[in-house]
Amino acid sequence: MTYAKKVMRLTELEKDGFPKEYLMRAYRSKGQTFARKINPAARNSPIIFDTEEFDKWRIKNA
């Protein structure tokens, strides 16, 4: 799959058709290295995804 940007916010991926529950499962999966908060100290900080690594995870966990 091709993405608009190399790094995208969770909300941008939602607009591309991914369910929020799926993205949160990916973010919370043990050992993942492709998703993080912009500012980990802030509770409301947006979650960003490295789309190349996320796509590898998505294919592996299909």
Side-chain angles (χ1 to χ4, degrees):
M1 182 173 177
T2 57
Y3 298 92
K5 300 183 236 174
K6 181 170 174 19
V7 177
M8 295 177 73
R9 290 180 178 220
L10 183 134
T11 53
E12 292 174 318
L13 289 169
E14 278 185 283
K15 289 177 186 173
D16 282 352
F18 289 102
K20 184 173 184 172
E21 295 81 20
Y22 181 74
L23 295 170
M24 292 305 293
R25 187 181 76 176
Y27 171 67
R28 293 179 179 135
S29 67
K30 187 174 182 176
Q32 66 84 7
T33 58
F34 54 83
R36 63 181 178 87
K37 287 190 171 198
I38 291 175
N39 178 1
R43 193 173 74 93
N44 296 4
S45 181
I47 298 171
I48 56 173
F49 286 78
D50 177 331
T51 54
E52 289 179 20
E53 295 300 315
F54 170 63
D55 204 42
K56 290 177 189 175
W57 178 88
R58 187 179 63 81
I59 292 167
K60 183 177 137 186
N61 291 295

